[in-house]
């Protein structure tokens, strides 16, 4: 009787509570749920890898994608290239101990920094030149003379000359450009070596956007150490008519990289110099 009044349900409606629960857990899965790295319920869905880190399929399935690595910033790149250049020139005694391989590595590292930094515009960044700069490398010193490719006193010969610190003092207001060189002059035994500081005073002017021309004025020599009480000695500029052709009293170079801490220059005879603010 009951079978007539209540006909059996279709076979598709005979489900256990456990099967209904299992089906619901899949079809109604919350779309905002995030799975562990690279996990997917059934199949991987298509994603926009540039913008999305959570990817959804048409059935509500979810895939978690690792966010892409962001490229280094320009400041990070410049910083790493500066470290590379300073590492290449460290331990070379300002270039006096540089081999041909050392010269090549320093030049390659400088070119990378120059390329990343872009063109220098001194008309806009002239204030960055202001201050006292310490020379940490000169490719010309590998010639074992203090003049580099220009005539200069030799080092480590019969009259040994030990090169100390080298600085450039630049005043953008007075246009003063002084090369300051600390030297130790050897003397016959038992006399002690003579310590002096030579200041080569110049005036400078800009050439184009990144070039600098310096014009020699005079040299001042001041004893230091035990003889520091002696007065300084000024050596005036040689008149142009008596000046040898190789020493015109002026020079030109290009500033190829410049920021508030580091300066790279290339001279008119191919000399690479690296400075840091002192």
């Amino acid at each position: 009787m009951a079978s007539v009044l209540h006909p059996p349900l279709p076979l598709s409606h005979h489900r256990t509570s456990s099967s209904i629960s299992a089906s619901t857990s899949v079809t109604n899965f919350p779309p905002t749920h995030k799975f562990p790295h690279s996990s997917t319920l059934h199949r991987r869905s298509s994603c926009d890898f540039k913008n999305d880190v959570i990817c959804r399929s048409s059935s509500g399935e979810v895939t978690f994608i690792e966010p892409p690595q962001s490229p280094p910033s320009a400041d990070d790149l410049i910083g790493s290239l500066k470290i590379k250049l300073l590492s290449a020139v460290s331990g070379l005694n300002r270039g006096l101990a540089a081999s041909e391989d050392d010269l090549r590595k320093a030049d390659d590292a400088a070119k990378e920094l120059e390329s990343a930094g872009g063109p220098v515009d001194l008309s806009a960044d002239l204030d960055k030149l202001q201050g006292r700069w310490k020379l940490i490398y000169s490719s010309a010193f590998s010639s074992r003379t203090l003049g580099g490719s220009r005539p200069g006193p030799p080092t480590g010969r019969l009259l040994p000359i030990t090169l100390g610190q080298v600085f450039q003092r630049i005043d953008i207001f007075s246009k003063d450009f002084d090369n300051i060189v600390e030297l130790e002059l050897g003397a016959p035994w038992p006399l002690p070596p003579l310590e002096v500081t030579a200041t080569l005073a110049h005036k400078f002017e800009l050439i184009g956007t990144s070039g600098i021309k310096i014009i020699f004025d005079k040299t001042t020599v001041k004893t230091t150490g035990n003889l520091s009480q002696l007065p300084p000695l000024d050596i005036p500029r040689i008149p142009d008519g008596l000046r040898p052709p190789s020493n015109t009293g002026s020079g030109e170079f290009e500033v190829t990289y410049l920021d508030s801490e580091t300066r790279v220059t290339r001279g008119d005879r191919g000399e690479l110099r690296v400075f840091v603010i002192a």
Side-chain angles (χ1 to χ4, degrees):
M1 208 46 194
S3 61
V4 175
L5 297 177
H6 302 283
L9 293 173
L11 183 59
S12 59
H13 287 187
H14 284 277
R15 299 182 182 178
T16 64
S17 59
S18 60
S19 65
I20 294 175
S21 175
S23 174
T24 304
S25 64
V26 174
T27 58
N28 296 330
F29 192 85
T32 57
H33 184 82
K34 297 177 183 172
F35 278 81
H37 301 296
S38 300
S39 65
T40 308
L41 271 179
H42 294 295
R43 63 181 181 275
R44 184 177 297 274
S45 57
S46 61
C47 310
D48 181 357
F49 287 92
K50 293 183 179 179
N51 300 316
D52 294 338
V53 294
I54 299 298
C55 307
R56 310 174 190 275
S57 73
S58 59
S59 62
E61 299 160 5
V62 182
T63 302
F64 181 79
I65 304 298
E66 287 282 3
Q69 294 290 335
S70 59
S73 66
D75 290 342
D76 291 339
L77 177 61
I78 290 293
S80 64
L81 292 178
K82 285 169 60 175
I83 292 175
K84 181 178 180 180
L85 174 58
L86 297 180
S87 299
V89 302
S90 64
L92 299 181
N93 191 17
R94 274 72 48 83
L96 290 169
S99 64
E100 288 296 326
D101 188 54
D102 294 326
L103 294 174
R104 179 186 56 79
K105 290 180 179 178
D107 190 72
D108 289 345
K111 287 179 179 177
E112 288 187 76
L113 180 60
E114 292 163 344
S115 176
V120 175
D121 186 359
L122 294 179
S123 62
D125 294 329
L126 186 62
D127 59 314
K128 292 182 179 179
L129 284 178
Q130 180 73 25
R132 182 181 174 96
W133 296 85
K134 180 180 179 180
L135 175 72
I136 61 172
Y137 174 78
S138 170
S139 61
F141 283 173
S142 64
S143 65
R144 305 302 188 270
T145 76
L146 300 185
S149 57
R150 292 179 170 83
T155 61
R157 303 274 176 102
L158 295 178
L159 183 62
I161 300 176
T162 302
L163 179 67
Q165 301 295 335
V166 179
F167 300 93
Q168 281 185 349
R169 183 173 57 208
I170 304 175
D171 189 327
I172 63 174
F173 302 103
S174 62
K175 302 300 182 183
D176 288 331
F177 193 106
D178 299 336
N179 289 321
I180 304 171
V181 183
E182 298 176 355
L183 298 170
E184 184 179 275
L185 308 179
W189 187 87
L191 298 176
L194 180 63
E195 298 176 1
V196 301
T197 297
T199 301
L200 287 72
H202 300 77
K203 293 292 184 179
F204 81 91
E205 59 186 46
L206 298 183
I207 303 176
T209 58
S210 60
I212 291 181
K213 180 178 181 179
I214 57 174
I215 302 172
F216 176 72
D217 183 19
K218 65 178 181 179
T219 298
T220 301
V221 178
K222 179 72 175 67
T223 55
T224 58
N226 295 331
L227 300 177
S228 59
Q229 70 276 10
L230 296 177
L233 174 64
D234 285 343
I235 304 175
R237 175 179 175 176
I238 300 175
D240 293 340
L242 302 177
R243 190 183 303 276
S246 59
N247 185 5
T248 62
S250 64
E252 297 180 7
F253 61 87
E254 183 181 3
V255 180
T256 54
Y257 178 80
L258 177 64
D259 62 27
S260 59
E261 300 174 341
T262 308
R263 177 164 54 96
V264 179
T265 67
R266 293 186 180 270
D268 53 1
R269 301 193 185 188
E271 178 183 7
L272 171 66
R273 289 186 177 187
V274 181
F275 297 85
V276 294
I277 198 69

